[in-house]
């Protein structure tokens, strides 16, 4: 029945002794109860073995005297005291869990004496001495002085003990480090020793509670997070699951060096097993529909220091539904949903106006809201029916007033809209599968409301048939199309760029400065009493999550007609757009075949290879029927290779300078090549000669594109030019007419360009690693410019045009959201990848070493390595069905690859 929740906040449990509690000693009605005597830093607790009897808690500050009990022979120095008794005289005690019922603590005031007879009499002196020390600490006037003295006692105890190596799972384990730490659970911390070996992480509590040692096998660890605990960077949380809300262990260290060393040891062990996920990598998975809205919010909370073990930083989830009065819940109507672009405090305009008036008149530091959207009190407000002992711990043995208890969903929502100081959001439990927090299954006596109604189960809206149905509908709402389209707006407020600064002011999202990370530096406060008071205030008030994003969060990519599901029970299919049975059927089949091809891309097999150039191959273009392959090379030649006869049918040289790329125009009659001699050459396939020349740049032309009668050319002269090309009347005689439509200026040489599928957005990459995104329709740069600070080799838009993938000298694949400019994901490679193709999830890349690599972008790992060229893979072509690939290498060869599945 004993738990650490019976302790006060910030109290430690030191030791226990088997003992008898003797009442009315030497009287006719003397009674004796067997049990355990617990010595804690602020109290003495006796837990009887008989569950009917209450647990007795004696606050040390209420003690009048604590001494070894005397018997008739105690004064005789020649007779050893064998009573083993400790007498405690006090003015107040608390009775807890009488008849084993969880209820508010019963206070017994008045002078009472309690005699505890220890089984081991020889320990009485040590126990009394410890209690005297702790009693002196509890009598100090100032909280800071009390905390300092108790900390000194604790550290002395920890210094006298060490981790018991006999607890190792194997005698062959190698010890890497040992240090002191505390295991953190909601509202309490438990001091002890941490040990990291080559196979396990161990925690041994100083008091042996709740068990002698906690062991985590490193091989099972899936995630590890550094945590901010008590405003200090001292926490570490370890998860052995990928998607669970609660961790396997949360540790708080006494200095950040120990924390960082343990983190390093565990992270080093697991980095070979799993990829470290960032907010950006989860964003990519969420945008592409690989994880649900619930899972994404869970991961963001984890990354923002939110933990189920820290009620001042409990995971925060949004109110989604705004309709609690209708008999049916209609998730197709926007008015069913809360406005996710505003914090709770700004949802009611009248209340907001009053708050803003006060804000304007307030001296610095200003804040709009006097309470937070997440705090220990709010978390336990929702969870009191399943976590009553936590509520009793937080509120000094009492439940909240019945009218302030979580009675009704509709009432709570209305109060969040209208209440002068109520701005709370929800907790993850509202979107999970366990409805027990809505039901008073423990039959707790939570009191009577003003109207005389007894507080029982939470009153649900009419559209819910029961607690399980209510949660099911909340899940459906969270995963609905409306929320998927607007969730990014709420993320901007809670985790993103509207959390701080001028954007927060504009969004009416300003809380007390102390709630923000870095709002106060505890190390700079020298007065221990001021420090304890400030820390207590902040922990009880609540804390704002760590800021994860500093730019606008991109929207989710919504499928047009396919149901989207994630990978957990929280995945709810997004309603499909109406599509008639025959509509887009060919497109659907093509899309399915492409998806199938990419799913099997690791089965790519080398079909043929030919050495056709004298230098590295820089470009590949293929006729529509696949029979002829055109290649350009640094040897200055354009060659036409026949797939059927396996011979070179044409070899053309326009100048003595290298050619950088080539493409073939629709109709397969003209090939265009770009050259380092600043020119672009048009070659007539039918007549076998140079047909035209465009002298449009002042330095080497690095890349060309053709779309809808327009030519896009990138050059080392720091420009990208857009040309309108009007073909001559006769291909044999008349020249093309070139009209310059736009000139996009850059600061340095442009290496590569790509166009989105709609031909509206062009991305350009420069020598210094700058990626610029341009609106082709207006020839203006959009406001995004990404500085990646390395030489870019290649980048391409994804098929949905929302993402851009780049690769360069820095050995990284980087995914960028085109709308917002956010770097969404970064995958490190062992060597530079010179060229690639991708479908949004999987990458096929050509490496510096000559291998072809297949990457799981979301998992951040290589799926397959395929041996290929003997030098770097310089260029890559893929057919529309994604079943055939041609690569050109530094080894002067072209290789033909086929998908075999």
């Amino acid at each position: 029945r004993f738990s650490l929740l019976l302790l006060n906040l910030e109290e430690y449990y030191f030791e226990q002794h088997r003992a008898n509690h003797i009442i009315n000693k030497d009287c006719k009605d003397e009674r004796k109860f067997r049990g355990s005597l617990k010595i804690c830093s602020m109290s003495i607790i006796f837990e009887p073995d008989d569950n009917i009897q209450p647990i007795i808690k004696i606050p040390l500050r209420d003690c009048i005297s604590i001494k070894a009990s005397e018997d008739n022979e105690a004064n005789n120095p020649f007779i050893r005291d064998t009573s083993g008794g400790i007498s405690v005289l006090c003015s107040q005690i608390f009775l807890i869990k009488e008849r084993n019922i969880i209820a508010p603590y019963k206070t017994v005031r008045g002078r009472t004496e309690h005699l505890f007879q220890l089984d081991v009499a020889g320990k009485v002196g040590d126990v009394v001495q410890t209690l005297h020390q702790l009693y002196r600490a509890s009598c100090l006037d100032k909280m800071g002085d009390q905390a300092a003295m108790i900390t000194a006692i604790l550290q002395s105890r920890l210094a006298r003990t060490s981790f018991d190596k006999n607890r190792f799972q194997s005698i062959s384990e190698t010890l890497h480090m040992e240090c002191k730490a505390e295991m953190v659970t909601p509202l309490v911390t438990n001091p002890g020793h941490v040990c990291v070996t080559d196979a396990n992480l161990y925690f041994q509590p100083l008091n042996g509670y709740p068990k002698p040692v906690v062991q985590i096998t490193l091989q099972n660890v899936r995630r590890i997070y550094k945590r901010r605990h008590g405003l200090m960077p001292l926490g570490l949380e370890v998860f052995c699951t990928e998607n669970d809300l609660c961790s396997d262990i949360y540790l708080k260290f006494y200095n950040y060096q120990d924390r960082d060393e343990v983190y390093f040891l565990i992270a080093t062990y697991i980095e070979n097993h799993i990829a470290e996920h960032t907010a950006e990598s989860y964003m990519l998975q969420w945008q592409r529909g690989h994880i649900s809205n619930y899972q994404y919010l869970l991961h963001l909370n984890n990354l923002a220091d939110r933990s189920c073990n820290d009620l001042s930083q409990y995971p925060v989830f949004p109110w989604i539904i705004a309709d609690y009065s209708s008999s049916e819940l209609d998730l197709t109507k926007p008015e069913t949903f809360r406005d996710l672009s505003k914090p709770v405090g700004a949802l009611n305009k009248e209340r907001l106006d009053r708050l803003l008036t006060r804000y304007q008149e307030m001296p610095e530091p200003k804040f709009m809201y006097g309470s937070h959207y997440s705090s220990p009190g709010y978390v336990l407000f929702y969870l009191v029916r399943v976590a009553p002992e936590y509520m009793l711990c937080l509120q000094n043995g009492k439940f909240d007033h019945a009218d302030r208890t979580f009675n009704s969903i509709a009432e709570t929502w209305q109060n969040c809209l209208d209440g002068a100081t109520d701005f709370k959001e929800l907790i993850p439990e509202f979107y999970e599968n366990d409805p027990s927090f809505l039901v008073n299954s423990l039959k707790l006596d939570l009191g009577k409301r003003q109207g005389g109604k007894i507080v029982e189960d939470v009153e649900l809206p009419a559209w819910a048939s029961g607690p399980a149905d209510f949660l099911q509908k909340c899940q459906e709402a969270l995963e609905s199309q409306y929320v998927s389209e607007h969730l990014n707006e709420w993320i901007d407020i809670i985790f993103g760029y509207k959390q701080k600064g001028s954007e927060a002011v504009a969004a009416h999202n300003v809380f007390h400065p102390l709630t923000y990370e870095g709002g106060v530096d505890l190390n700079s406060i020298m007065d221990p009493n001021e420090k304890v008071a400030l820390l207590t205030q902040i922990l009880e008030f609540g804390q704002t999550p760590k800021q994860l994003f500093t730019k606008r969060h991109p929207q989710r990519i919504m499928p047009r007609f396919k149901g989207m599901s994630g990978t957990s029970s929280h995945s709810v299919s997004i309603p499909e757009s109406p599509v008639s049975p025959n509509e887009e059927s060919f497109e659907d089949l093509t899309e399915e075949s492409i998806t199938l091809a990419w799913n099997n891309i690791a089965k790519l097999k080398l079909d043929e290879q030919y050495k056709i150039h004298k230098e590295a191959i820089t470009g590949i273009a293929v006729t529509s029927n696949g029979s002829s392959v055109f290649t350009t090379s640094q040897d200055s030649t354009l060659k036409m290779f026949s797939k059927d006869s396996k011979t070179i049918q044409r070899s053309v040289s326009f100048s003595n300078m290298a050619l950088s790329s080539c493409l073939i125009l629709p109709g397969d009659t003209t090939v265009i090549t770009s050259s380092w001699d600043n020119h672009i050459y048009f070659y007539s396939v039918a007549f076998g000669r140079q047909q035209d020349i465009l002298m449009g740049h002042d330095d080497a032309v690095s890349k060309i594109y053709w779309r809808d009668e327009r030519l896009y050319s990138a050059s080392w002269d720091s420009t990208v030019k857009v040309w309108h090309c009007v073909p001559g009347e006769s291909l044999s005689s008349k020249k093309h007419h070139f009209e310059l439509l736009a000139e996009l200026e850059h600061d340095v040489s442009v290496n590569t360009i790509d166009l989105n599928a709609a031909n509206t957005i062009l991305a350009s990459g420069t020598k210094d690693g700058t990626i610029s995104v341009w609106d082709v329709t207006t020839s203006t740069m959009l406001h995004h410019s990404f500085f990646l600070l390395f030489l870019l080799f290649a980048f391409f838009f994804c098929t949905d045009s929302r993402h851009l993938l780049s690769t360069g000298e820095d050995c990284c694949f980087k995914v960028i959201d085109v709308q917002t400019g956010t770097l969404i994901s970064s995958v490190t490679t062992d060597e530079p990848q010179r060229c690639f193709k991708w479908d949004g999830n999987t990458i096929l890349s050509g490496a510096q070493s000559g291998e072809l690599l297949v990457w799981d972008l979301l998992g951040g790992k290589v799926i397959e390595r395929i041996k290929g060229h003997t030098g770097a893979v310089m260029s890559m072509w893929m057919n529309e069905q994604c079943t055939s690939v041609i690569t050109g290498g530094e080894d002067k060869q072209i290789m033909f690859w086929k998908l075999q599945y």
Side-chain angles (χ1 to χ4, degrees):
R1 291 189 299 160
F2 172 79
S3 89
L4 296 178
L5 293 168
L6 301 184
L7 278 58
N8 294 353
L9 295 176
E10 305 298 319
E11 183 176 8
Y12 296 109
Y13 164 39
F14 285 142
E15 60 192 56
Q16 75 163 353
H17 303 275
R18 291 296 294 165
N20 291 318
H21 179 210
I22 302 173
I23 300 175
N24 301 326
K25 182 173 169 54
D26 298 330
C27 297
K28 285 183 180 180
D29 58 346
E30 176 179 321
R31 287 187 295 164
K32 186 183 291 188
F33 299 102
R34 288 286 291 158
S36 297
L37 184 67
K38 322 279 186 182
I39 309 301
C40 307
S41 58
M42 299 178 189
S43 59
I44 303 167
I45 294 176
F46 182 76
E47 178 189 17
D49 292 345
D50 183 355
N51 284 352
I52 299 299
Q53 297 301 317
I55 294 172
I56 297 170
K57 179 177 179 179
I58 307 172
L60 287 169
R61 68 173 182 273
D62 294 326
C63 290
I64 299 166
S65 72
I66 302 169
K67 60 183 180 179
S69 64
E70 298 176 1
D71 59 21
N72 296 332
E73 298 173 323
N75 294 325
N76 187 338
F78 300 103
I79 298 176
R80 186 181 171 198
D81 179 11
T82 57
S83 67
I86 299 173
S87 170
V88 178
L89 189 64
C90 59
S91 60
Q92 176 176 261
I93 64 169
F94 297 105
L95 302 181
I96 304 168
K97 288 189 180 178
E98 192 168 7
R99 299 187 178 278
N100 210 23
I101 295 170
I102 299 171
Y105 302 170
K106 184 178 176 183
T107 307
V108 179
R109 292 184 176 87
R111 193 182 178 104
T112 56
E113 183 176 6
H114 300 266
L115 180 65
F116 301 103
Q117 193 172 48
L118 304 192
D119 285 7
V120 183
K123 289 193 174 180
V124 169
D126 290 340
V127 173
V128 170
Q129 185 180 1
T130 298
L131 288 173
H132 283 167
Q133 270 189 315
L134 295 170
Y135 171 73
R136 285 197 297 275
S138 69
C139 292
L140 294 172
D141 292 334
K142 295 180 178 178
M143 292 294 292
D145 296 337
Q146 285 185 31
M149 187 168 175
I150 290 171
T151 299
I153 295 169
L154 170 63
Q155 291 301 324
S156 172
R157 283 174 163 258
L158 285 170
R160 294 197 304 269
T161 57
S162 61
F163 187 88
D164 180 4
K165 308 300 188 296
N166 292 320
R167 295 285 180 183
F168 281 179
Q169 289 288 300
S170 166
I171 57 172
S172 61
E173 279 186 70
T174 304
L175 175 66
H176 285 324
M177 81 164 289
E178 180 183 346
C179 65
K180 298 175 287 187
E182 296 176 11
M183 189 167 81
V184 179
T185 50
L187 298 181
V188 289
T189 60
N190 201 11
H193 296 275
V194 167
C195 224
V196 184
T197 70
D198 56 347
N200 293 289
L201 165 69
Y202 296 98
F203 175 76
Q204 186 172 32
L206 186 64
N207 50 34
Y209 180 88
K211 53 185 180 180
V213 70
V214 178
Q215 177 233 332
I216 305 287
T217 304
L218 296 183
Q219 198 170 347
N220 295 337
V221 175
R222 288 293 167 269
R223 292 176 289 147
I224 179 169
Y225 299 101
K226 291 181 179 179
R227 293 286 187 230
R228 176 179 47 134
H229 185 272
L231 301 187
M232 302 290 281
L234 299 173
L236 187 70
E237 193 162 22
V238 180
F239 292 78
C240 292
T241 55
E242 189 54 53
N243 293 308
D244 277 7
L245 183 64
C246 296
S247 64
D248 290 80
I249 193 167
Y250 186 139
L251 296 169
K252 172 200 167 189
F253 295 81
Y254 294 112
N255 60 70
Y256 70 87
Q257 292 93 341
D258 284 347
R259 192 275 304 267
D260 289 351
E261 187 174 351
V262 173
Y263 178 89
F264 174 77
L265 289 170
I266 299 175
T268 303
Y269 181 91
I270 68 173
E271 69 180 0
N272 299 322
H273 301 61
I274 53 173
E276 183 180 357
H277 287 295
T278 61
E280 288 77 20
S281 66
Y282 283 125
M283 184 200 293
L284 180 64
Q285 292 185 55
W286 173 73
Q287 271 199 292
R288 307 205 70 79
H290 289 265
I291 57 175
S292 64
N293 291 339
Y294 169 87
Q295 288 172 314
Y296 186 43
L297 290 178
L298 203 62
H299 290 309
L300 292 184
N301 272 287
N302 260 322
L303 290 166
D305 277 345
R306 313 302 285 189
S307 168
C308 290
N309 285 308
D310 185 351
L311 295 188
S312 68
Q313 298 189 91
Y314 201 78
V316 56
F317 271 60
W319 283 97
I320 294 293
I321 299 168
D323 177 7
Y324 296 100
S325 56
S326 301
S327 57
E328 296 290 330
L329 186 66
D330 188 349
L331 296 179
T332 63
K333 289 163 45 179
E335 53 268 31
T336 299
F337 300 92
R338 163 258 182 103
D339 184 347
L340 289 164
S341 68
K342 297 176 181 176
V344 169
L347 293 175
N348 180 336
K349 189 177 184 306
E350 288 181 20
R351 178 178 66 177
L352 179 63
D353 288 342
R354 292 195 298 271
L355 292 168
L356 290 177
T357 301
R358 189 191 69 171
Y359 173 75
Q360 301 298 340
E361 297 167 352
M362 191 181 291
E364 294 291 345
K366 294 184 174 188
F367 53 90
M368 294 176 186
Y369 309 113
S371 65
H372 206 257
Y373 51 76
S374 175
S375 70
Y378 288 160
V379 173
L380 296 178
F381 167 84
Y382 291 125
L383 296 180
V384 63
R385 289 168 178 80
V386 287
E389 291 178 89
Y390 292 90
M391 178 66 88
L392 293 172
C393 177
L394 185 70
Q395 300 206 144
N396 300 314
K398 300 183 183 71
F399 289 134
D400 207 346
H401 189 280
D403 285 302
R404 290 196 297 269
T405 299
F406 182 31
N407 291 299
S408 155
I409 302 289
E411 274 183 29
T412 302
W413 167 246
Q414 200 57 47
N415 203 52
C416 288
L417 289 180
D418 302 335
T421 59
D422 193 350
F423 315 109
K424 59 179 171 285
E425 291 279 9
L426 295 183
I427 55 175
E429 283 78 358
F430 279 82
Y431 303 103
E432 293 178 352
N433 298 319
D434 182 3
S436 58
F437 74 100
L438 300 168
V439 182
N440 188 14
S441 56
L442 296 174
K443 303 301 177 189
L444 302 169
D445 181 3
L446 296 171
K448 287 184 180 179
R449 304 188 67 180
Q450 281 184 346
K453 188 177 179 181
I454 296 173
V455 176
E456 285 289 347
D457 299 345
V458 177
E459 189 179 314
L460 302 174
W463 45 255
S465 61
D469 183 57
F470 172 74
L471 292 193
Q472 175 65 29
K473 286 186 166 67
C474 285
Q475 289 177 26
E476 290 172 6
L478 179 62
E479 304 301 335
S480 67
Q481 180 151 351
Y482 177 89
V483 174
S484 291
E485 289 172 350
H486 295 275
L487 188 59
N488 57 297
E489 297 171 357
W490 186 81
I491 292 170
D492 283 337
I493 290 168
I494 305 298
F495 303 106
Y497 80 110
K498 290 184 179 179
Q499 191 197 86
K500 296 178 183 176
S502 59
E503 292 288 354
V505 175
H508 306 129
N509 191 38
V510 182
F511 295 86
H512 195 285
L514 292 180
T515 67
Y516 295 92
E517 183 178 30
V520 61
D521 179 8
L522 285 180
N523 290 324
S524 67
I525 300 172
M526 304 315 293
D527 183 344
N529 300 299
E530 184 185 345
K531 184 181 289 190
V532 168
L534 194 61
L535 186 59
T536 303
Q537 176 190 345
I538 292 165
L539 296 184
E540 290 181 2
F541 189 87
Q543 295 175 70
T544 301
K546 179 192 290 182
Q547 189 174 25
L548 299 178
F549 308 106
T550 55
K551 292 184 178 178
R552 186 163 61 92
H553 192 289
Q555 268 188 305
R556 193 170 199 177
I557 300 166
M558 301 301 297
R560 283 174 303 146
F561 48 81
K562 291 192 176 176
M564 171 164 49
S565 64
T567 55
S568 80
S569 58
H570 305 93
S571 308
V572 181
S573 290
I574 288 171
E576 300 183 3
S577 302
V579 177
S580 63
N582 298 319
E583 188 183 350
E584 296 185 326
S585 58
F586 178 74
E587 185 181 324
D588 290 356
L589 287 171
T590 305
E591 193 173 308
E592 281 181 20
S593 66
I594 290 172
T595 302
L596 181 65
W598 273 104
N599 287 343
N600 290 277
I601 203 75
K603 297 175 183 174
L604 210 58
K605 302 294 180 190
L606 180 60
D607 189 32
E608 300 170 295
Q609 64 189 93
Y610 304 97
K611 186 173 181 180
I612 60 172
H613 281 280
K614 295 177 181 177
E615 296 292 341
I617 293 167
T618 56
I620 302 170
V622 182
T623 53
S624 54
N625 61 9
S627 62
S628 297
V629 179
F630 292 88
T631 57
T632 51
S633 167
Q634 288 179 0
D635 65 10
S636 80
T637 62
L638 167 71
K639 293 188 188 285
M640 176 180 168
F641 181 84
S642 169
K643 193 121 184 287
D644 300 330
S645 65
K646 300 178 176 38
T647 58
I648 296 171
Q649 295 190 328
R650 307 266 177 89
S651 182
V652 186
S653 186
F654 301 108
S655 73
N656 60 357
M657 299 285 278
L659 299 179
S660 56
S661 66
C662 65
L663 58 85
I664 189 163
L665 296 189
D668 297 342
T669 57
T670 305
V671 175
I672 310 177
T673 68
S674 56
S675 172
W676 285 6
D677 68 0
N678 313 354
H679 301 154
I680 299 167
Y681 295 96
F682 290 69
Y683 175 77
S684 170
V685 178
F687 293 94
R689 64 179 178 222
Q690 178 182 315
Q691 177 185 334
D692 219 330
I693 183 169
L694 173 59
M695 295 179 280
H697 288 279
D698 300 321
D699 206 336
V701 183
S702 52
K703 190 85 173 178
I704 50 174
Y705 261 92
W706 179 277
R707 294 271 180 87
D708 296 340
E709 306 297 324
R710 291 189 178 188
L711 177 69
Y712 302 82
S713 58
S715 169
W716 293 355
D717 66 5
S718 308
T719 66
V720 174
K721 293 183 178 179
V722 185
W723 311 85
H724 179 54
C725 298
V726 181
E729 293 170 12
S730 164
L731 288 175
S732 61
S733 56
K734 297 293 176 77
K735 302 286 186 185
H736 284 70
H737 172 67
F738 302 107
E739 178 189 354
L740 181 62
L741 298 178
E743 184 171 337
L744 312 178
E745 295 280 354
H746 298 71
D747 294 331
V748 292
S749 303
V750 183
N751 279 9
T752 185
I753 53 172
D754 192 34
L755 271 167
N756 70 341
N759 303 335
T760 54
I761 299 173
L762 179 142
S764 56
T766 61
K767 185 176 71 175
D768 65 357
T770 304
I771 297 178
S772 302
V773 179
W774 305 79
D775 182 345
V776 176
T777 57
T778 60
S779 302
T780 55
M781 186 194 289
L782 299 175
H783 58 279
H784 312 306
S785 215
F786 322 107
F787 301 96
L788 305 180
L789 304 177
F790 58 85
L791 177 64
L792 277 163
F793 291 140
F795 58 63
F796 295 103
F797 283 98
C798 192
T799 49
D800 56 30
S801 301
R802 286 286 300 277
H803 294 140
L804 198 63
L805 179 67
S806 72
T807 181
E809 268 183 344
D810 69 337
C811 301
C812 268
F813 282 116
K814 288 187 166 68
V815 183
I816 293 160
D817 182 80
V818 175
Q819 279 187 345
T820 62
T822 306
L823 177 64
I824 289 180
S825 182
S826 182
V827 177
T828 304
T829 63
D830 293 336
E831 58 179 330
Q833 305 297 306
R834 300 300 299 261
C835 54
F836 68 88
K837 299 292 179 185
W838 74 311
D839 73 335
N841 305 316
T842 308
I843 308 169
L844 174 68
S845 68
Q848 185 77 33
S849 63
E851 287 182 311
L852 296 190
L853 274 63
V854 181
W855 298 80
D856 171 10
L857 180 58
L858 301 176
K861 60 187 177 186
V862 176
I863 302 170
E864 191 69 45
R865 291 178 179 270
I866 307 167
K867 288 200 177 299
H869 296 267
T870 54
V873 185
M874 303 294 288
S875 54
M876 183 182 293
W877 172 90
M878 179 182 276
N879 68 344
E880 282 187 19
Q881 294 75 32
C882 307
T883 55
S884 177
V885 173
I886 304 173
T887 56
E890 217 169 32
D891 59 3
K892 307 152 195 174
Q893 294 192 95
I894 56 168
M895 292 186 173
F896 293 84
W897 306 81
K898 276 190 178 174
L899 207 50
Q900 296 180 1
Y901 59 90

